[in-house]
């Protein structure tokens, strides 16, 4: 669940979440980038595994894993004024560009992995390369839509 326009300050976050969330729930927020949390994402830890990929004053990009499926989740709460909101569009464009570069680099790594002789270390490395490549592809496709 995403909460936007929360305006909870750092010193009040732990107490507010303790009062609001049931036992076994966790949360992430974007306070590190501003004076208040404009975005809070909460979830039952018995369900998905969530990690922050990118966070700013106006958006959060998260990696969500449900069972074996991984996808990107974005929560955006843009500023009302056009000037500050331009920063959001610049950040989104930067993320898309970085994902394309990372995708190309991982593709190169996969090509190198395929050329190594078959041993358990190489095969595990190749498996990890493939998983990371697929995660980035999912995140990139989510941002390109």
């Amino acid at each position: 669940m995403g909460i936007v326009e929360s305006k909870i300050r750092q010193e009040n976050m732990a107490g507010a979440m303790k009062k609001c969330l049931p036992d076994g729930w966790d949360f992430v927020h974007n306070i590190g980038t501003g004076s208040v949390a404009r975005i809070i994402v909460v979830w039952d830890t018995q369900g998905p595994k969530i990690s922050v990929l990118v966070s700013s004053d106006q958006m959060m990009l998260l990696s969500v894993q449900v069972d074996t499926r991984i996808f990107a989740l974005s929560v955006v709460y843009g500023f009302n004024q056009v000037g500050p909101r331009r920063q959001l569009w610049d950040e989104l464009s930067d993320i898309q560009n970085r994902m394309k570069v990372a995708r190309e680099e991982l593709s190169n790594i996969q090509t190198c992995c395929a050329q190594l002789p078959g041993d358990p270390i190489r095969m595990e490395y190749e498996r990890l390369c493939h998983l990371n490549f697929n995660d980035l592809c999912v995140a990139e496709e989510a941002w390109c839509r």
Side-chain angles (χ1 to χ4, degrees), residues 18-81:
K18 186 174 182 177
K19 286 181 184 178
C20 293
L21 298 179
D23 289 339
W25 282 59
D26 203 354
F27 65 96
V28 292
H29 56 74
N30 69 333
I31 286 180
T33 59
S35 61
V36 296
R38 300 182 79 234
I39 301 169
I40 303 171
V41 176
V42 301
W43 69 94
D44 183 346
T45 56
Q46 296 296 317
K49 293 178 185 175
I50 296 179
S51 59
V52 178
L53 300 174
V54 178
S55 180
S56 74
D57 287 343
Q58 301 181 75
M59 57 83 67
M60 292 182 77
L61 174 61
L62 309 168
S63 171
V64 180
Q65 180 177 351
V66 179
D67 299 322
T68 59
R69 187 176 169 160
I70 299 172
F71 59 92
L73 170 69
S74 59
V75 182
V76 176
Y77 180 53
F79 290 125
N80 293 330
Q81 300 83 17

Side-chain angles (χ1 to χ4, degrees), residues 87-135:
Q87 181 183 352
L88 171 64
W89 299 122
D90 291 343
E91 290 169 355
L92 295 175
S93 178
D94 181 57
I95 290 168
Q96 182 179 5
N97 291 336
R98 287 188 301 165
M99 287 183 168
K100 285 182 181 179
V101 168
R103 189 176 193 178
E104 290 169 5
E105 289 175 1
L106 286 171
S107 180
N108 291 338
I109 291 170
Q110 282 185 313
T111 300
C112 291
C113 288
Q115 296 171 1
L116 296 173
D119 65 60
I121 294 172
R122 182 207 50 86
M123 292 184 341
E124 178 63 11
Y125 181 73
E126 186 175 9
R127 185 185 71 78
L128 291 172
C129 290
H130 183 72
L131 290 175
N132 291 336
F133 180 76
N134 286 339
D135 292 350

